[in-house]
Amino acid sequence: MPTSSSSQRGAVFAMLATILIWAYSWIVMKQVLAYAGPFDFAALRYLLGAAVLFIVLVIARQPLRPPPLLLTIGIGVFQTAAFQGLGQWALRTGGAGHVALLAYTMPFWAVLLAWLMLGDRPTRRHVIGLALAAVGLLCIIEPWRAMGSVASTALAIAAGICWAVGTVLTKRMFLRHKPSVLNLTAWQMLAGGIALGIVALLVPQRPIAWTGALIAGVAYSVVIASSIAWWLWSIVLQRLPTTVASLSSLGVPIVSVLLAWGILHERPSLIEWVGIAFVVAGLAAVSGVGTRSRG
């Protein structure tokens, strides 16, 4: 049954809002590392974010019963714990813009996994967009050699792969079980937060310094970047094809690079600008959402 035009437009608006929120969150994630270890911060972010969503569920009088538990835990572990934990770890030695760009290789893995696991075959327009964006990311990844952090590069790409797995599992959840978006977001975030909390207890990190900057960073990450943005992202995955949602999310690292340039003074090189141009061209190739849904 085709998605209604109004529902599709709502998903596109949700996607644009998510792009802006998550782009700035990479700046926040880099800044808070001066006050807390990567896993401590990630665990705080998602455990508190889950608590906020469960409060909303109670206020909205929505059911608290979890979706199918095994699949929900899988989504939480891959989409929340592994993606966030590896990404936050990569930021210890990598720049915010660079790590965001590499973590957002997610769409390439998601397209492949969705095709293999869901039969979500990409259209010709999507393949063109994928190819253009792939060239762009190759241009962007190349300057990493100058940064001398192979570990940060590998961690950021691994984060993208884990997010891709979580994205496909989320799509499968909606196709098979049709859970409430808010309910699924809350439970998968709780599962991911618990996993991150276990890692935080086992891995030695710097002591948390409860400064105003850290509290502001936690507040933004918990309420906006976690609770609200992951809820919006679930709406996007529910209403749009996996390929379109995944490729369109490449707007996040583009905005992150620009914000990192303006706020953290991480000036992009010429080759990175070329890569960004290719990624934008790839986004344009898949931007026909809602024009011809069978395209």
Side-chain angles (χ1 to χ4, degrees), residues 120-163:
D120 193 356
R121 187 182 182 91
T123 66
R124 182 167 59 180
R125 187 183 71 227
H126 298 151
V127 171
I128 291 171
L130 186 65
L132 289 169
V135 172
L137 282 180
L138 282 175
C139 294
I140 291 162
I141 290 171
E142 191 275 339
W144 274 79
R145 291 185 299 172
M147 296 183 67
S149 180
V150 176
S152 180
T153 300
L155 287 168
I157 293 175
I161 294 172
C162 289
W163 186 12

Side-chain angles (χ1 to χ4, degrees), residues 2-295:
T3 308
S4 71
S5 177
S6 60
S7 177
Q8 216 171 30
R9 282 197 299 270
V12 171
F13 283 125
M15 185 171 61
L16 292 175
T18 305
I19 287 173
L20 294 174
I21 291 170
W22 277 345
Y24 184 65
S25 75
W26 286 96
I27 309 301
V28 174
M29 287 160 58
K30 178 69 175 181
Q31 292 173 326
V32 298
L33 287 176
Y35 311 103
F39 300 114
D40 283 336
F41 174 73
L44 276 172
R45 171 180 178 174
Y46 284 106
L47 288 173
L48 292 175
V52 170
L53 289 181
F54 278 111
I55 291 171
V56 173
L57 281 172
V58 171
I59 293 173
R61 297 184 178 179
Q62 291 195 23
L64 293 176
R65 183 176 180 178
L69 203 54
L70 189 60
L71 191 50
T72 301
I73 292 173
I75 294 169
V77 167
F78 282 101
Q79 180 171 272
T80 297
F83 169 64
Q84 180 65 35
L86 292 171
Q88 194 77 42
W89 192 4
L91 283 169
R92 292 182 64 187
T93 54
H98 291 285
V99 171
L101 285 163
L102 291 173
Y104 274 80
T105 53
M106 178 275 284
F108 307 119
W109 312 113
V111 167
L112 176 62
L113 291 171
W115 189 2
L116 294 176
M117 296 172 62
L118 304 177
D120 193 356
R121 187 182 182 91
T123 66
R124 182 167 59 180
R125 187 183 71 227
H126 298 151
V127 171
I128 291 171
L130 186 65
L132 289 169
V135 172
L137 282 180
L138 282 175
C139 294
I140 291 162
I141 290 171
E142 191 275 339
W144 274 79
R145 291 185 299 172
M147 296 183 67
S149 180
V150 176
S152 180
T153 300
L155 287 168
I157 293 175
I161 294 172
C162 289
W163 186 12
V165 175
T167 295
V168 174
L169 291 178
T170 301
K171 193 69 175 181
R172 173 175 284 182
M173 174 73 87
F174 283 127
L175 289 172
R176 293 187 175 182
H177 305 289
K178 297 178 173 56
S180 155
V181 172
L182 186 60
N183 181 276
L184 173 62
T185 306
W187 279 104
Q188 70 87 15
M189 193 175 292
L190 177 62
I194 291 173
L196 284 166
I198 293 171
V199 174
L201 291 174
L202 296 176
V203 177
Q205 299 170 85
R206 59 165 297 155
I208 298 177
W210 288 103
T211 65
L214 176 62
I215 293 171
V218 169
Y220 178 87
S221 298
V222 168
V223 177
I224 300 176
S226 297
S227 303
I228 295 176
W230 278 113
W231 171 59
L232 292 172
W233 177 246
S234 295
I235 291 175
V236 172
L237 290 178
Q238 182 188 42
R239 299 182 185 179
L240 297 180
T242 306
T243 302
V244 173
S246 300
L247 284 170
S248 298
S249 70
L250 284 171
V252 174
I254 303 304
V255 179
S256 293
V257 167
L258 298 175
L259 290 174
W261 184 13
I263 298 172
L264 302 178
H265 309 295
E266 297 175 5
R267 185 181 180 87
S269 65
L270 177 60
I271 191 67
E272 286 178 297
W273 283 120
V274 172
I276 288 171
F278 271 100
V279 172
V280 171
L283 291 175
V286 296
S287 63
V289 180
T291 53
R292 294 188 181 182
S293 58
R294 298 179 182 270

